Amino acid sequence: MANKIKRRLAALPLKDVDITGGFWAPFMRRNREVTLPAEYEHLKQSGHLDLREWPELVTGTPRIYMHSDVAKWIEAASYSLVHNPDKAMERRIDKIVAGMADVQEEDGYLNAYYSLVEPGRRWTNLRDCHELYCAGHLMEAAVAYHSATAKTAFLDMMKRNADHIAKTFGRKRGQKRGYPGHEEIELALVRLSLAAGEDRYLELARYFIDERGRNPHYFDIEAAARNDKGAARGHGYYQAHLPVRKQDEAVGHAVRACYLYAGMADVAALTGDGELFAACRRLWESVTGRKMYVTGGIGSTAYGERFTADYDMPDDSAYAETCAAIALLFFAWRMLGIDPRSCYADVMERALYNGILSGISQDGAKFFYGNPLASYPGFDGNGTYVGPGYYYRRSEWFGCACCPPNIARLIASLGSYIYSLGRREIWIHLFAESSARMVMAGKPVVVSQHTDYPWDGDVTVSVDLQGEAAFRLALRIPGWCSRAGLKINGRRVDAPVKNGYAVIDREWRSGDCVKMELDMPVERVYADPLVRRAACRVALQRGPVVYCLEETDNGPALNSLRLPTGTRLTASYDKSLFDGAVVIEGEAVRTAGAAGGKLYGNCRPVETRGAHIRAVPYFLWANRNPGEMLVWLGEQRS
Amino acid sequence: MANKIKRRLAALPLKDVDITGGFWAPFMRRNREVTLPAEYEHLKQSGHLDLREWPELVTGTPRIYMHSDVAKWIEAASYSLVHNPDKAMERRIDKIVAGMADVQEEDGYLNAYYSLVEPGRRWTNLRDCHELYCAGHLMEAAVAYHSATAKTAFLDMMKRNADHIAKTFGRKRGQKRGYPGHEEIELALVRLSLAAGEDRYLELARYFIDERGRNPHYFDIEAAARNDKGAARGHGYYQAHLPVRKQDEAVGHAVRACYLYAGMADVAALTGDGELFAACRRLWESVTGRKMYVTGGIGSTAYGERFTADYDMPDDSAYAETCAAIALLFFAWRMLGIDPRSCYADVMERALYNGILSGISQDGAKFFYGNPLASYPGFDGNGTYVGPGYYYRRSEWFGCACCPPNIARLIASLGSYIYSLGRREIWIHLFAESSARMVMAGKPVVVSQHTDYPWDGDVTVSVDLQGEAAFRLALRIPGWCSRAGLKINGRRVDAPVKNGYAVIDREWRSGDCVKMELDMPVERVYADPLVRRAACRVALQRGPVVYCLEETDNGPALNSLRLPTGTRLTASYDKSLFDGAVVIEGEAVRTAGAAGGKLYGNCRPVETRGAHIRAVPYFLWANRNPGEMLVWLGEQRS
């Protein structure tokens, strides 16, 4: 019998955390000023804001997952409203919600596609048709909008919808024993349950999680009823090959998988289900121990956007969908809440500064769906040959536009992932110029961070409160950091480190100041030799930021460069590089033509010393001149 | 104005060359005893031998390219009949031919699919529907069968078909200005022209070659007439993006491309067309200088079975179709005939001993379509993830079964590629235990080779003739060989080397014996550093044979092995390895877990010396226990 578990950390409400400057401020400003308005226009022009206007707008059939992208945009906009009230934006959201309300059916069913385009066919193909996925995103949006504005209409609408779903699905007589082909509603129902104070939504989430993968298999039953020959992709594609408690390996579509795992962790936390949490841990190990790129990207192939075999991490054909890295962050955040260990926050940070942030351009208006770790002229982001003259670049929009609003909602809600509260501790997971209001030991406390992180490893944390209070401050020592120093009010201290967090336990007074000094040298990072595509290669990392070489800085043929093991690499701040960024430079070796320019020959390629290399943060790639890009660089002994 | 060119070398008829033992004898025996009968059964069972029997045999629509696979089988069987008469096999062929004769239409049109399945739609989709491709293969088969048996029925049938095609296509009023989407008929028409002694078939080949890629574009005109939106793949896929004389780069489907180039070289040779030959040379450079695997495989991606960008040679997702390597050999052979330089024969040999021979199992009954240079459990031959427990293996047959009869016809006709005749020279291009009858300087001459090539570099060539005769013997010095010695009748001589051939000019007497001693050490082969997937890696080669590591000899995780630059590699003959083969052995270094078993870490992976490696010829892979395979092995400085 597994141990009972619980959620040990509480998140801070977004409204109580201000990002006051530093690295993230320009991202949040662009998100508000550029990304959200641009995404709104794309959603409108693509005809997905209100399906009743569809026929006038576009031709063809609307996309079955249309509500989800709109919902994520509403969710992102709602987070933005928390700190930046904007009546025009609220009116836009109200109008969209009103349009959906008109389409909601009497019994609470809500999906404009089925109500308007294929009436009578609702709930006939849970495997492929994304109804529960869309409902989940709408629930998350409703919770966020309610939280931002205190308006209840959207939340009420989604409660009615959730009630309809709870009536339709379950183990009682007359109910369908279904569950979604694209997970998401599980974690959304948990959020709805907490927002509405209704346990029945949590129960429904638990039903969806536990029904998944049982025999007789619902997807087969449902497919037979449709005269469909069954899931060509296999049930594993949907993480429905086994009951979730029996799953050990992350398989199938990476976004679906991590949304499910996040929902599993939520349900485990709220119901104390240690067995379910044990499954989450095994799946966490599978994803992050054997199937994750150094950028935090997951899902190695574009074909099915899915996980493949352990250690299979092709660089130029990496899929590493932006949404999947975000889903991994969601999963990590929930694991961290139950089991506060820095390994979870390390993965959040790895994804955030690399495989997530690469998903949006520096002007805030263009997006990557796939985030490869190498790119060559002529090839698409998934390594497919397109033809000469082609360069893989971010796009303004996609037919399936899941990633753009997903990154918008993540950036807009970033404040909520920085801190959390334990019973007697304030936890700092991420380092960002910010200020957070909370209540600790019965007193209002304000915790502020001052830092140039991730460009600099110094983080100053100051505490403000009335009088004094005893509590612990738990500061994450990042996994990338091999030497960290701590000073309290200017005096060096040794704090015990527990589960990767330096824990300072004292009587705090207003103005107390903790300075954390994280040594941040340029690191050469190696992959387990089982990661075959990284064999004989090295990646450069400094702090949480993974670097890459771009053709615009280094010329073409990046794979002909080799970094000698003894080369000194220096980091410097280049304030002209977008918002300013640290670049890494050093001298490498360039190899040229084997055996007098033949394609193959028995002479070792000729090496020329003194090839200057300049590496930039991976997340910045493809914002300047198009060209090659490479993360895993050839290394040779000096 | 380009120079006039001509074919300078004449091939020997297959009947005049006996393969008398050595390396190739068991391949030829298996081809005759196992491969040809097995392929016949597969063709029969798949219902493609005679479409009139189709409805009884199988369901679904027959394949539009059905005749081509049957034709290649007939061609292979015909070559086999040359040295091994077999009345039962002749009866089989006669029956197939009689069946086709019944289907041939009054006007000479011959394609059972169109005549029986889609009557009235013939010649409406040259781009996709393979009618001219099938006709070409049938012409080649008819020429081969006529040559083997002197029976004329099949040849006459194909002449009537060619006459029909010549009437249908051309630049005269009322003719269609079409050409094939899948080239092949060009080289076939040249063969038919020579066999039938009719220049008009050569003219038709020239028309097809020169019409290709002109504007207005025939494929567009034809597509518009079908209400087809046009070639989604672009005209380059069919090598029809430009007139062939303007083409510089090998693009599109690799087999089609090399069949076209072979046909172009044929037409150039027979019409003296220097401009057309110049285009062949540019395309040759493109293919072999920038787009060829070290195994002689071509076509880097399974998606379209096509060429991609220069130097793009992924190993685990290499396509390198068996047919494409064979097509490259055909192209090389024709170039060699016009311009006798060893570089062409070097490529023939590279393809033959590696990327072609890997296409058939050692039991002669299973085939590879794609020939990757690395293979991992769970992945298909083109690098697609299939799932746990899967191993890429040769198959007994394919839905599109082009490769199995193609390799059968190549092996059966191998004798014709070993020697050729110049005006005053006997040329030896390939080394094989064999004996060839020819007429030189007006006298019958028999040239024999005694050799264990490719396992040993000694080749003894003896000459038998009545009396004496003055002529030159041109012996290829392979490109892989850096030191070659020559002895005539036991005495060391220095012969001038011209265009890669040692030329011995003397009065020959019966019993004269030339011994060529080709130094055959184990070579470390490097790729041009622009071949990014081979960066920091080395391949092992000995003589013409490229080696690989297999899991069954070396354990799993082949990419965790690194070969130090100073390691001594030894070659030894293992007589128990199938027909006997030289294996390469040495001590490598195995790297293990970076940073204590983490997926990524800043510690260089731990190295363990003394990992014994055993490499086997690449063509032998996947004949023993399934598992990983790797050609390009990590290398590090000692």
Side-chain angles (χ1 to χ4, degrees):
Chain A
M1 183 72 191
N3 291 333
K4 287 285 275 187
I5 55 110
K6 62 174 179 175
R7 180 167 284 169
R8 294 180 50 201
L9 305 187
L12 289 185
L14 186 57
K15 71 176 171 46
D16 292 335
V17 182
D18 299 328
I19 290 186
T20 49
F23 179 84
W24 288 104
F27 284 95
M28 306 197 76
R29 182 185 47 74
R30 279 195 298 271
N31 197 44
R32 199 168 62 239
E33 294 176 1
V34 180
T35 311
L36 287 172
E39 291 184 353
Y40 177 84
E41 289 305 321
H42 285 295
L43 286 166
K44 192 174 164 71
Q45 280 164 30
S46 70
H48 285 107
L49 280 187
D50 190 335
L51 219 50
R52 294 169 307 167
E53 295 170 16
W54 180 270
E56 282 85 59
L57 287 169
V58 271
T59 56
T61 309
R63 299 182 191 269
I64 215 156
Y65 41 77
M66 50 156 293
H67 283 318
S68 67
D69 300 336
V70 176
K72 274 184 284 189
W73 180 84
I74 296 175
E75 190 185 343
S78 301
Y79 296 140
S80 174
L81 289 173
V82 169
H83 291 103
N84 295 278
D86 178 338
K87 287 292 159 197
M89 194 178 268
E90 265 190 60
R91 279 194 300 274
R92 281 180 167 177
I93 296 172
D94 290 338
K95 181 155 181 264
I96 298 167
V97 171
M100 288 185 185
D102 279 354
V103 175
Q104 186 169 31
E105 300 193 15
E106 279 298 306
D107 61 359
Y109 181 84
L110 174 56
N111 188 296
Y113 179 87
Y114 276 99
S115 295
L116 302 176
V117 184
E118 293 201 53
R121 308 210 40 190
R122 70 187 193 181
W123 304 137
T124 57
N125 185 353
L126 296 192
R127 189 188 72 201
D128 304 321
C129 289
H130 291 20
E131 282 160 290
L132 291 170
Y133 168 73
C134 288
H137 274 305
L138 286 169
M139 289 172 197
E140 286 204 88
V143 169
Y145 192 59
H146 173 256
S147 182
T149 61
K151 292 182 187 171
T152 57
F154 192 12
L155 190 67
D156 289 344
M157 183 169 106
M158 293 318 298
K159 281 161 68 178
R160 284 209 298 133
N161 181 238
D163 291 335
H164 163 76
I165 292 169
K167 208 163 156 185
T168 307
F169 298 98
R171 300 196 186 91
K172 296 200 196 105
R173 211 185 162 86
Q175 287 183 308
K176 292 173 190 285
R177 292 187 67 154
Y179 46 84
H182 195 315
E183 304 91 320
E184 146 68 21
I185 197 169
E186 300 83 354
L187 70 87
L189 283 165
V190 173
R191 291 185 72 179
L192 185 65
S193 167
L194 294 171
E198 299 280 10
D199 277 353
R200 65 180 186 276
Y201 302 134
L202 173 63
E203 275 312 302
L204 181 57
R206 180 154 75 167
Y207 158 77
F208 280 135
I209 283 170
D210 271 334
E211 190 59 26
R212 190 163 209 90
R214 292 191 185 229
N215 278 322
H217 205 286
Y218 185 76
F219 292 165
D220 293 338
I221 295 166
E222 186 197 60
R226 289 193 310 272
N227 270 325
D228 173 331
K229 290 203 177 136
R233 288 159 151 171
H235 294 316
Y237 182 75
Y238 315 91
Q239 300 78 43
H241 53 305
L242 284 172
V244 299
R245 290 164 195 272
K246 299 206 168 143
Q247 295 188 21
D248 295 323
E249 189 189 352
V251 299
H253 190 271
V255 177
R256 302 180 199 218
C258 284
Y259 282 177
L260 168 66
Y261 307 156
M264 286 164 61
D266 273 342
V267 169
L270 294 177
T271 62
D273 190 333
E275 186 191 53
L276 190 57
F277 182 65
C280 292
R281 269 193 133 133
R282 294 193 305 272
L283 292 163
W284 172 266
E285 274 309 311
S286 173
V287 176
T288 64
R290 298 184 294 277
K291 301 196 180 200
M292 180 184 71
Y293 283 95
V294 71
T295 56
I298 53 173
S300 295
T301 178
Y303 301 98
E305 309 180 325
R306 72 196 294 170
F307 289 114
T308 62
D310 286 351
Y311 305 107
D312 174 50
M313 277 168 272
D315 60 353
D316 53 351
S317 64
Y319 197 56
E321 183 183 338
T322 305
C323 281
I326 292 171
L328 177 59
L329 183 146
F330 293 159
F331 180 27
W333 175 245
R334 283 152 175 89
M335 295 299 282
L336 182 65
I338 299 168
D339 181 23
R341 294 173 185 273
S342 62
C343 59
Y344 300 113
D346 283 349
V347 167
M348 288 173 62
E349 192 183 54
R350 187 186 286 283
L352 187 60
Y353 285 103
N354 302 293
I356 292 175
L357 214 48
S358 62
I360 189 164
S361 63
Q362 286 298 297
D363 64 9
K366 294 190 286 298
F367 308 92
F368 271 148
Y369 210 112
N371 294 274
L373 277 76
S375 185
Y376 303 105
F379 291 83
D380 201 349
N382 52 28
T384 303
Y385 185 60
V386 178
Y390 176 87
Y391 291 92
Y392 181 57
R393 309 296 287 158
R394 293 180 187 81
S395 300
E396 289 188 9
W397 203 241
F398 305 99
C400 173
C402 51
C403 298
N406 216 351
I407 194 165
R409 70 173 175 150
L410 182 76
I411 290 174
S413 62
L414 192 71
S416 58
Y417 296 102
I418 299 173
Y419 303 88
S420 51
L421 292 182
R423 206 170 50 84
R424 274 199 65 228
E425 313 96 8
I426 298 170
W427 295 75
I428 299 187
H429 308 296
L430 300 180
F431 307 113
E433 182 85 6
S434 59
S435 179
R437 292 166 293 280
M438 57 198 84
V439 173
M440 179 49 59
K443 289 193 176 182
V445 178
V446 174
V447 176
S448 304
Q449 292 184 53
H450 298 286
T451 182
D452 282 327
Y453 198 88
W455 307 132
D456 187 273
D458 287 357
V459 182
T460 301
V461 179
S462 55
V463 175
D464 281 287
L465 72 169
Q466 293 283 332
E468 295 179 358
F471 56 86
R472 291 189 286 259
L473 182 67
L475 293 164
R476 173 170 148 264
I477 310 293
W480 56 258
C481 179
S482 50
R483 210 171 57 167
L486 268 186
K487 287 180 188 157
I488 299 179
N489 297 330
R491 186 185 301 163
R492 190 163 296 284
V493 295
D494 273 331
V497 175
K498 197 181 159 199
N499 294 331
Y501 286 78
V503 181
I504 304 168
D505 190 353
R506 61 183 257 128
E507 285 266 328
W508 298 87
R509 287 158 212 254
S510 215
D512 274 352
C513 180
V514 177
K515 187 170 180 202
M516 185 159 65
E517 295 166 336
L518 303 171
D519 240 29
M520 200 184 264
V522 176
E523 300 277 9
R524 289 179 189 237
V525 172
Y526 302 90
D528 187 299
L530 294 173
V531 180
R532 45 194 179 254
R533 209 62 81 72
C536 308
R537 291 173 182 260
V538 65
L540 302 181
Q541 186 173 333
R542 184 173 172 275
V545 179
V546 173
Y547 281 73
C548 71
L549 268 60
E550 284 197 271
E551 183 174 338
T552 191
D553 298 311
N554 300 282
L558 298 176
N559 277 282
S560 72
L561 291 167
R562 298 197 196 169
L563 193 61
T565 48
T567 291
R568 192 164 152 261
L569 295 163
T570 57
S572 62
Y573 187 76
D574 179 348
K575 67 174 195 270
S576 70
L577 191 61
F578 299 100
D579 301 323
V582 168
V583 300
I584 297 174
E585 291 175 280
E587 302 303 312
V589 167
R590 194 174 276 280
T591 53
K598 282 195 296 177
L599 187 54
Y600 304 105
N602 61 359
C603 305
R604 194 161 282 123
V606 177
E607 296 179 2
T608 318
R609 302 217 154 255
H612 185 80
I613 61 162
R614 177 183 157 97
V616 299
Y618 169 75
F619 73 79
L620 283 179
W621 92 272
N623 277 290
R624 296 175 294 158
N625 295 329
E628 288 185 32
M629 182 277 291
L630 185 65
V631 170
W632 289 105
L633 185 64
E635 191 186 51
Q636 69 180 23
R637 293 186 180 193
S638 285
Chain B
M1 184 71 189
N3 291 334
K4 287 284 276 184
I5 55 112
K6 60 174 180 175
R7 181 168 283 169
R8 294 180 50 199
L9 304 187
L12 290 185
L14 186 58
K15 71 176 171 46
D16 291 335
V17 183
D18 299 328
I19 290 187
T20 49
F23 179 84
W24 287 105
F27 284 94
M28 305 196 76
R29 182 185 47 75
R30 279 195 297 271
N31 197 45
R32 198 168 62 238
E33 295 176 1
V34 180
T35 312
L36 287 171
E39 292 184 353
Y40 177 83
E41 288 306 322
H42 285 295
L43 286 166
K44 193 174 165 70
Q45 280 163 31
S46 72
H48 284 109
L49 280 187
D50 190 335
L51 219 51
R52 294 168 308 166
E53 296 169 16
W54 180 269
E56 284 86 57
L57 288 170
V58 272
T59 55
T61 309
R63 298 181 191 271
I64 215 156
Y65 40 76
M66 50 156 293
H67 284 317
S68 66
D69 301 336
V70 176
K72 274 184 285 190
W73 181 85
I74 296 175
E75 190 185 342
S78 301
Y79 296 142
S80 173
L81 289 173
V82 169
H83 291 103
N84 296 278
D86 178 339
K87 286 293 160 197
M89 193 177 272
E90 266 190 61
R91 278 193 301 274
R92 282 182 166 177
I93 296 172
D94 289 339
K95 181 154 180 265
I96 298 168
V97 171
M100 289 184 185
D102 280 354
V103 175
Q104 186 168 29
E105 301 192 15
E106 279 298 306
D107 61 359
Y109 181 84
L110 174 55
N111 188 295
Y113 178 87
Y114 276 98
S115 295
L116 301 177
V117 184
E118 293 201 54
R121 307 208 44 189
R122 70 187 193 182
W123 304 136
T124 57
N125 185 354
L126 296 191
R127 189 188 71 200
D128 304 321
C129 290
H130 291 18
E131 283 160 289
L132 291 171
Y133 169 73
C134 288
H137 275 304
L138 286 169
M139 289 171 197
E140 286 204 89
V143 170
Y145 192 59
H146 173 255
S147 183
T149 62
K151 292 183 188 172
T152 57
F154 192 11
L155 191 66
D156 289 344
M157 184 170 105
M158 293 318 298
K159 282 161 68 179
R160 283 210 299 132
N161 181 238
D163 291 335
H164 163 75
I165 292 169
K167 209 166 158 185
T168 307
F169 298 99
R171 299 197 186 91
K172 295 199 197 105
R173 210 184 162 87
Q175 287 182 308
K176 292 172 192 282
R177 293 188 66 154
Y179 45 84
H182 195 317
E183 304 91 320
E184 147 68 21
I185 197 169
E186 300 84 353
L187 70 87
L189 284 165
V190 172
R191 292 186 71 180
L192 185 66
S193 167
L194 294 170
E198 299 279 9
D199 277 353
R200 66 178 184 277
Y201 303 134
L202 173 62
E203 276 312 302
L204 181 57
R206 182 154 75 168
Y207 157 78
F208 279 135
I209 283 169
D210 272 333
E211 189 59 26
R212 189 164 210 90
R214 293 190 185 229
N215 278 320
H217 205 286
Y218 185 76
F219 291 166
D220 293 337
I221 294 166
E222 186 197 59
R226 290 194 309 270
N227 270 325
D228 173 330
K229 289 201 180 139
R233 288 158 151 172
H235 295 316
Y237 182 74
Y238 315 91
Q239 301 78 42
H241 53 305
L242 284 172
V244 299
R245 290 165 194 272
K246 298 204 167 144
Q247 295 187 21
D248 295 324
E249 188 189 353
V251 298
H253 190 271
V255 177
R256 302 180 199 218
C258 283
Y259 282 178
L260 168 66
Y261 307 155
M264 285 164 62
D266 273 341
V267 169
L270 294 178
T271 62
D273 190 333
E275 185 191 51
L276 190 57
F277 181 65
C280 292
R281 268 194 135 134
R282 293 192 306 271
L283 292 163
W284 173 265
E285 275 309 311
S286 173
V287 176
T288 63
R290 297 184 295 277
K291 302 197 181 199
M292 180 183 71
Y293 283 94
V294 71
T295 56
I298 53 172
S300 295
T301 177
Y303 302 98
E305 309 180 324
R306 72 196 294 171
F307 289 114
T308 62
D310 285 351
Y311 306 107
D312 174 50
M313 276 167 271
D315 59 353
D316 52 351
S317 64
Y319 198 56
E321 183 182 339
T322 306
C323 280
I326 292 171
L328 177 58
L329 183 145
F330 293 159
F331 180 26
W333 175 245
R334 283 152 175 88
M335 295 300 281
L336 182 65
I338 299 168
D339 181 24
R341 293 172 185 274
S342 63
C343 59
Y344 300 112
D346 283 348
V347 167
M348 288 174 59
E349 192 183 55
R350 185 185 288 283
L352 187 59
Y353 284 103
N354 302 292
I356 292 174
L357 214 48
S358 62
I360 188 164
S361 63
Q362 286 298 297
D363 64 10
K366 295 191 285 297
F367 308 92
F368 271 147
Y369 209 112
N371 294 273
L373 277 76
S375 185
Y376 304 105
F379 291 83
D380 201 348
N382 53 28
T384 303
Y385 185 59
V386 178
Y390 176 88
Y391 291 92
Y392 181 57
R393 311 295 287 157
R394 293 180 187 82
S395 300
E396 289 188 8
W397 203 242
F398 305 99
C400 173
C402 51
C403 298
N406 216 351
I407 194 165
R409 71 173 174 150
L410 183 75
I411 290 174
S413 62
L414 192 70
S416 58
Y417 297 102
I418 299 173
Y419 302 89
S420 52
L421 292 182
R423 208 170 49 85
R424 273 199 65 228
E425 313 96 8
I426 297 170
W427 296 74
I428 299 187
H429 307 296
L430 299 180
F431 308 114
E433 183 85 8
S434 60
S435 180
R437 292 166 293 282
M438 58 198 83
V439 173
M440 178 48 60
K443 289 193 176 183
V445 178
V446 174
V447 176
S448 304
Q449 292 185 52
H450 298 287
T451 182
D452 283 327
Y453 198 88
W455 307 132
D456 187 273
D458 287 358
V459 182
T460 301
V461 179
S462 55
V463 175
D464 281 288
L465 72 169
Q466 294 284 331
E468 295 180 0
F471 56 85
R472 291 190 286 258
L473 182 67
L475 294 163
R476 174 171 148 265
I477 309 293
W480 55 259
C481 179
S482 50
R483 211 171 57 167
L486 268 186
K487 287 179 187 157
I488 299 179
N489 298 329
R491 185 182 302 162
R492 190 163 295 284
V493 295
D494 273 330
V497 175
K498 196 182 159 202
N499 295 330
Y501 287 77
V503 182
I504 304 167
D505 191 353
R506 60 184 260 127
E507 285 265 329
W508 299 86
R509 286 158 212 254
S510 216
D512 275 353
C513 179
V514 177
K515 187 170 181 203
M516 185 160 63
E517 295 167 335
L518 302 171
D519 238 30
M520 200 184 264
V522 176
E523 299 278 9
R524 289 179 188 237
V525 172
Y526 301 90
D528 188 299
L530 294 173
V531 180
R532 44 193 179 252
R533 208 62 81 73
C536 308
R537 292 173 181 261
V538 65
L540 302 180
Q541 186 173 333
R542 184 173 171 278
V545 178
V546 173
Y547 281 72
C548 71
L549 268 62
E550 284 197 271
E551 182 174 338
T552 190
D553 298 312
N554 300 283
L558 298 176
N559 278 281
S560 72
L561 291 167
R562 298 197 197 171
L563 193 61
T565 49
T567 291
R568 192 164 152 261
L569 295 163
T570 57
S572 61
Y573 187 76
D574 179 349
K575 67 173 194 267
S576 69
L577 191 61
F578 299 100
D579 301 323
V582 168
V583 299
I584 297 174
E585 291 175 281
E587 302 303 312
V589 167
R590 193 174 276 280
T591 52
K598 283 196 297 179
L599 188 54
Y600 304 106
N602 61 359
C603 305
R604 194 162 280 123
V606 177
E607 296 179 2
T608 319
R609 302 217 152 255
H612 185 79
I613 61 163
R614 177 182 158 97
V616 298
Y618 169 75
F619 73 79
L620 283 179
W621 92 273
N623 277 290
R624 296 175 293 158
N625 295 329
E628 288 185 32
M629 182 276 291
L630 185 64
V631 170
W632 288 105
L633 185 64
E635 191 187 51
Q636 70 180 20
R637 293 184 180 194
S638 285

